[in-house]
Structures are given as C-alpha cells and as structure tokens.
Amino acid sequence: MKDAFGLPQSLLVLGGTSEIALATTRRMIARRTRTVWLAGRPSPALEQSAADLRALGADVHTVAFDALDPESHETVLGKVFAEGDIDMVLLAFGILGDQAHDEREPMSAVRVAQTNYTGAVSATLISASALQAQGHGSLVVLSSVAAERARRANFIYGSSKAGLDTFTQGLGDALHGTGVHVMLVRPGFVHTKMTAGLEATPLATTPEAVATAIETGLRRRSETVWVPGALSVVMSALRHLPRGLFRRLPI
Amino acid sequence: MPADTVSVTGWGRTAPTVARLIRPRTYEEAAAAVRDCGARGGIPRGLGRAYGDAAQNAGGAVFDMTGLDRVHAIDADGGTVSCDAGVSLHRLMRVLLPLGWFVPVTPGTRQVTVGGAIGADIHGKNHHVSGAFSRHVLSLELLTADGGIRTVRRGTPLFDATTGGMGLTGVILTATVQLQPVETSLMSVDTERARDLDDLMARLAATDDHYRYSVAWIDLLARGAATGRAVLTRGDHAPLDALREGTRARRDPLAFRPSRLPGPPAFLPEGLLNRRTVACFNELWYRRAPRARTGELQKLTTFFHPLDGVPHWNRIYGRGGFVQYQFVVGHGQEESLHRVVRRISEHRCPSFLAVLKRFGDADPGWLSFPVPGWTLALDIPAALPGLGALLDALDEEVATAGGRVYLAKDSRLRPELLAAMYPRLDAFRSLRAELDPRGVFVSDLARRLAL
Ligand SMILES: Cc1cc2nc3c(=O)[nH]c(=O)nc-3n(C[C@H](O)[C@H](O)[C@H](O)COP(=O)(O)OP(=O)(O)OC[C@H]3O[C@@H](n4cnc5c(N)ncnc54)[C@H](O)[C@@H]3O)c2cc1C
Ligand SMILES: NC(=O)c1ccc[n+]([C@@H]2O[C@H](COP(=O)([O-])OP(=O)(O)OC[C@H]3O[C@@H](n4cnc5c(N)ncnc54)[C@H](OP(=O)(O)O)[C@@H]3O)[C@@H](O)[C@H]2O)c1
C-alpha cells in the first residue's frame, strides 16, 4: 500500500532498463519500496539493473515484456498482478528513433509509433484495469515535452508521445474516483542513453531530477508533472506561438 | 443490502482508496456481508476517526457499522451498558449522563463508536488512573470470518487479540461496558503553565496522581529555551456541592450541553496553515492561559472535546491532508522524548499544540498501544517537505527507546519496525491465521504493515 505521502511499497516498471525509471526506482527503494518488477526485453542489461537494485535491499524480479508484442501483454502483466498488489506502475519504455532516417524508412517510423503509442496503449489499459480491481495505485506515464507541440526535428517521436499523452489524460479522467491515480510526467531533455550524443537543450535535466519530481507528484497526487517545473511556463508560451513563427525557431 | 463504491480515507484524508461500503442494519446482514465479501476481504469501520488507513480496504468491502446502533440495556445501579458496536460515545453520553454515569474512557472526540474504541483500544486523559478502554469492557460479541458469532470474555486470547486488534479479528457487534459514576456533567479543572519540557515533565510526574484526568498541550514551535512550554489542564468530574445553589447548573446538574460552531468552508486556500500563522496561534494560546488557576468549572465537552465544536475541522489542512504522529516511550526514556521534541522543533513543523501525557499501566491487548511512560501526539500537514524522512528518523528513535507508535493514528510507519514496537505481533498473526485462514478481514493498514 502507498503511505500517506503516496510512496509505494511495490513497483512495476515497464521498460526495466530505462535510466529515468531506474533512478526513480532507486529513490523509491530508499523510501518505502520493497518489491520491484522490472519488465523489459530480456538482456544482460535488464538482469544487471535487477542486480543493482537488489544490492539496495529490494526484492527484484524481472519479466520478459516487449512493447511491440501487445498480444502478449495481458498474459505477461496478468502474471505480475496475480502475485500481489502493485502500488505503482511506471511506464518508461520508449524509443527516440532517428528522425531523418525514419522519414526515409516508413517502417522504421512505424516502429517508433508502435513502441511509444500502441504498445503503451495496451500496457496501460491492462495495468489500469488491474489497479482498478485493487482499488488503489498510481499509474505514472513518462510522456515528454515533445508531446506538446510538433517540432520539425522530431515530429515522429513527438507525435507518438502526443498520442500517449492525450490517451493518458483521457484515461486519468476515466479513472477518476476509482482509487487509481494517473500521473503524466513531461520531462524536457534528460541526460540518459536515449539522448547520448545529442546536443542538450536549455533546461536539460537529469534522471534524478525526474525521480524527485515524481516523488513530489506522488505526495501531492498531481495529475501532470513537468521536469523541470519551469517547462510548464515555457511550453504554454510556445503552444500559442503562430505556426510561421514557430517554424523559424531554432529548436 | 445497499453497497456503494466509494473513496474512503481516514480522518487525516491521506491515501484514499476505493471500496464497497456496506451498511448492515441487522446482525444477519452483517454476517451475510462477511460471508459474501469476496476475494479482497472486508474491514469494519465506525465513524472513521482513525487518522490513517485502519478502516479502509482498497478494492474490497468496508462494513459501516454505524447502522447497528441500538442501546440494549442499561444497569443504572451497577453502572453498565450493553449496546451495539456502532453506537457513538456521543450518544452514550447523551443517554447515560442524566442517569449519573459517564463513559469510562473518552478520546479527544466523542465522535467515535464503541467498536472503534475497542478496535483501537483507545485511551483518554485518565489513562494513568483508569487504563485503556478495554479495561472496562466486560464482554463483547464478535462476528468472525466463518460467519459465526462468539461471545468473547475478558482474559481470553481472543479478547486480548481483539482489543487493539484494529478490526482484524472480526466485527464487534455488541459490547458490555462498565461505566464511571458522576454527580454532575461539569468538570472541575486546574490549569497551570510550564515554561519548558523539563518543567512540564516534573510537574506531571509530581502531581498527576492527584487528578483523574490530566493532559498537557505543548507548543513545539516555540524556539530555544521555550521549546516544550506548555499548559497543563487537569481535573475531575465536579461533585454536586461544587455547583452554586440557585444556578441553572445546580438545578439540572447532569444536563449534557455540547456546543457547536459552524465548520470551516469546504474550500480553503492552500497554505493557510504555515509556520507563521500556527506559531502565532500557539503564542496567543499560551499567553491567554492563566499561570495557575484552580477549581474552574468547565463544560465536560470543553474539557474533553474542544475540537468537536468545529465540525470537519480536518478540512483546514486542505487537499493534501495531514498526518498525526503519536508515540509512547517508557519511563526512564525522557532523553529520547527530549531528542524527538528537539527534532520536531528544529524541523519547524507547523503543528498546532501537541499533546503530552503520562500513561499508567498497560492493558493486555496484544496490539494495544498504551504502555507506562510518556506519549506525545501532534498533527502535521502531509505536504510539509521532508516530513516522511523526519518521521522515519523519529520512529528509529522511538523504537530504540523501546517505544511504539499508535496504529490508530498511523499512515506511514515502515513495516520493518512493527515487530520491535509490538512484541506480541507474532501471537496476533498466528491467532489470525487460525481464526481467519482465508484472510477475510483485511485493511489497507494491515496490507501496508503486513499485520
Ligand atoms: C479529534 C480526535 C481526537 C482523538 N483523540 C484520541 C485520544 O485521545 N485517544 C485515543 O486513543 N484515540 C484518539 N483518537 C482516535 C480515535 O479514538 C480512534 O481512532 C478510534 O478508533 C476511532 O473510532 P471510530 O469509531 O471512528 O473507528 P474507525 O476510525 O472507523 O476505525 C478504527 C479502527 O477500529 C476498527 N473498528 C471500528 N468498528 C469496529 C467494529 N465494530 N468491530 C471491530 N473493529 C472495529 C476499524 O476496523 C479500525 O481498525 C482521536 C481521533 C480524533 C479524530
Ligand atoms: N531522455 C529524455 O530526454 C526523455 C525526455 C522525455 C521523455 N523521455 C521518455 O522517458 C522514458 C524513459 O527514457 P530514458 O531516457 O530513461 O531512456 P532509456 O534509458 O533509453 O530507456 C528506454 C527504455 O525503453 C525500453 N524499450 C525500448 N523499446 C522497447 C520495447 N519494444 N519493449 C520493451 N521495452 C522497450 C528500453 O529497453 P531495452 O533495454 O530493451 O532497449 C529501455 O528500458 C521514455 O519513454 C522516453 O521517451 C525521455
């Protein structure tokens, strides 16, 4: 069960090698979390992540989970929920893609959309209904600032996150009053392996900062969290910029 | 039986979870509700005055026992009452005072049920003299997981598991309680101020035994040497001859006259309670109290339940809710108490007056909270940054000193510390495993702390 500060005792991570998710999990273990499920594509990295978390004192399991195989989600996630209550689900899988390459290779662009959007749709719906049956739990979804407004430089990724973001908002409304708390997290540029080699944007942040924002959001039962918080102001300005002007911005 | 799916919290309004709320009107309906409660079990609930998650059960059933509220029999000579567990102490006072009897133990609010009073084995300002509520319970009827009803008598393991058992051994349906005789419905109260924590503890230790009721309100926001300055209020039921002839009070000495103020508005701006406003309140309150005054006649409700005058006062803490932290450490652990008080004060928690009291002898309930020593209780807004870590550190201090926190107030304890705080936990767990092998009775508290 979550405590008065919204801190979970059990945590299911979808995308078990995500650096943001692992920073968040370490924070949660330092607080209250004792049971962790890392769902992800089987790999030495996934096992290593589990071992690292075990060293912090948690009881950690790994489960094979592929966002691109939505047919399997019901079975895979069903098994996890059958083992006991999950206080928090953190949806962290996602791929950035390579915009220029993906524009030339539509199937590659589709993979971005399928991972980030349709894969997330099935995993979220299944998690949401399990949480609803429990009558409690937080569903934390990593969206992105890229979901706010399409940018020339990464609109394939951006549109997939926009889909996920809109979906999650609607789901949050649908689950209002069911005891399930849905929290949308919109980080800006975060230094992780996903962004390695890319030029950092202003207000770039760290996985630890995202973890802190998630912890605060849980305590406040927030519905939307920006990381860093200042992005909420920046993005609400950008959102209203006329198209012609926006196109010419160096972003 | 009507069942609504509703969001449920404790009095602190943190950690809401959703459950089917079922309100049985007969014992048969209660038994049927227990039998049919489904895979996620059920938990009895009284008036929801436990601060944390004791009377909630995510995804399962919550049995609202306030629909079973008959007073069955009063023995006006022997001073006992038999009633349903859903009867409130408020109602008992209304019924019993005119007959010259008072409840044996009352918490800081009258809005608790007899079931909740036994389930949490509550204590009052008379603990140092009268012990916890269970000491006055002669017998009770318990609806157990198999759907059967048992009469549970004092001195049996099931009695000791149920008193303080947080509803986890079954649903208390009725209880027979020994009452306290009174001549009037007024209190004769002595008030004095203590300039700091040492002064306070010295006064309490020296003269508590002269009073049936005793409590100190302490200011944890006062800085430096004044930390722990306090106002002691102690007293007893006023005897008839303390009321002046010819007064209204004397003509109707046993009248029960609770006062009631309008509640706060449903919406209050966030941040109303901050260090400055709370410190200001505490300061005023301390200055207003007399340095020393004896024999003041107070209404019973003013003395015992000052907060009951303001309905829904818990809303002043806003959406984020609040946490009540209450612990006890034994005599001889005064240093730990000092350290805890210092830490709270250093953290500058915007906490209204905290309550300090000396407990007397413990009662046998396995999870019953009071043990001889010092107990401190304070409310803190849950949104206060760093509060979780602060309270974790206090738990360590308390556990090291052999003390414990009160489950009826808890909403955040680490489960690892529970066994150290409650040494009879194993006995409690095995009795439950035997009595309720399918785990029908379960609450959010039980899940969180692996009770
Ligand atoms: C302003 C205020 C002041 C307080 N002061 C004190 C104090 O001075 N001393 C003190 O000890 N406590 C105090 N409390 C706490 C309160 O007395 C306890 O939490 C009490 O248990 C609340 O009773 P309730 O009927 O509201 O029960 P709930 O809060 O609804 O339930 C509390 C527990 O009792 C169990 N329970 C309820 N009914 C039954 C039943 N029929 N059968 C079996 N189990 C049942 C529940 O399962 C739960 O575990 C205070 C609370 C408030 C809000
Ligand atoms: N980094 C940023 O700047 C940033 C900003 C905003 C939002 N986000 C979002 O935050 C989330 C976490 O990002 P991160 O920075 O922590 O990135 P990361 O370390 O690269 O993690 C991405 C995760 O997604 C997993 N994944 C990819 N495809 C998958 C598939 N088909 N099935 C299952 N898992 C798959 C990866 O698993 P494998 O180990 O199997 O590859 C990895 O665990 C992502 O959703 C990302 O879009 C990131």
Side-chain angles (χ1 to χ4, degrees), chain A residues 1-5 9 30-32 34 85 132-136 177-180 219-222, chain B residues 13-18 40 58-59 319 323 382-383 387-388 392 411-412 414-416 444 447-448:
Chain A
M1 294 303 306
K2 286 187 294 181
D3 68 5
F5 308 115
Q9 292 180 304
R31 299 289 186 255
R32 282 292 182 275
R34 294 294 169 270
D85 283 14
Q132 204 179 334
Q134 290 176 180
H136 73 102
T178 63
V180 182
R219 190 176 71 223
R220 297 187 180 153
R221 276 175 264 156
S222 308
Chain B
R13 301 171 88 218
T14 54
T17 62
V18 165
R40 291 189 66 85
R319 222 175 76 88
V323 170
L387 181 58
D392 283 353
S411 57
R412 31 70 44 205
R414 269 195 302 130
E416 289 83 354
D444 289 357
R447 285 196 178 91
R448 182 167 57 78

Side-chain angles (χ1 to χ4, degrees), chain B residues 205-227:
Chain B
T207 49
D208 244 13
D209 295 340
H210 307 173
Y211 298 93
R212 182 188 302 278
Y213 299 100
S214 158
V215 76
W217 305 83
I218 88 176
D219 178 5
L220 295 177
L221 271 175
R223 285 193 191 259
T227 298

Side-chain angles (χ1 to χ4, degrees), chain A residues 44-199:
Chain A
L46 186 65
E47 291 312 319
Q48 188 57 49
S49 306
D52 294 346
L53 297 176
R54 267 180 216 121
L56 301 176
D59 183 13
V60 187
H61 315 266
T62 55
V63 273
F65 167 86
D66 186 347
L68 290 170
D69 182 15
E71 265 86 46
S72 69
H73 289 181
E74 186 104 55
T75 319
V76 170
L77 299 181
K79 276 193 192 127
V80 174
F81 282 98
E83 294 287 323
D85 283 14
I86 298 290
D87 300 340
M88 168 172 160
V89 177
L90 176 58
L91 188 132
F93 60 79
I95 52 175
L96 192 53
D98 173 342
Q99 177 75 24
H101 169 265
D102 296 349
E103 283 178 32
R104 292 191 303 274
E105 302 266 353
M107 281 323 288
S108 173
V110 165
R111 236 168 61 86
V112 173
Q114 285 179 333
T115 306
N116 296 352
Y117 182 59
T118 53
V121 165
S122 81
T124 330
L125 282 176
I126 290 159
S127 303
S129 92
L131 294 180
Q132 204 179 334
Q134 290 176 180
H136 73 102
S138 286
L139 176 61
V140 180
V141 175
L142 292 179
S143 173
S144 164
V145 281
E148 264 302 275
R149 186 150 189 187
R151 273 165 56 209
R152 169 66 192 95
N154 75 350
F155 65 84
I156 296 174
Y157 173 78
S159 67
S160 71
K161 285 293 188 188
L164 174 64
D165 196 286
T166 307
F167 174 83
T168 306
Q169 290 177 46
L171 187 69
D173 291 338
L175 292 180
H176 188 80
T178 63
V180 182
H181 162 229
V182 177
M183 184 162 91
L184 199 50
V185 182
R186 296 193 187 124
F189 188 104
V190 187
H191 291 285
T192 68
K193 59 184 181 294
M194 180 179 274
T195 51
L198 302 179
E199 197 186 327

Side-chain angles (χ1 to χ4, degrees), chain B residues 183-184 391:
Chain B
E183 291 178 13
T184 72
L391 296 181

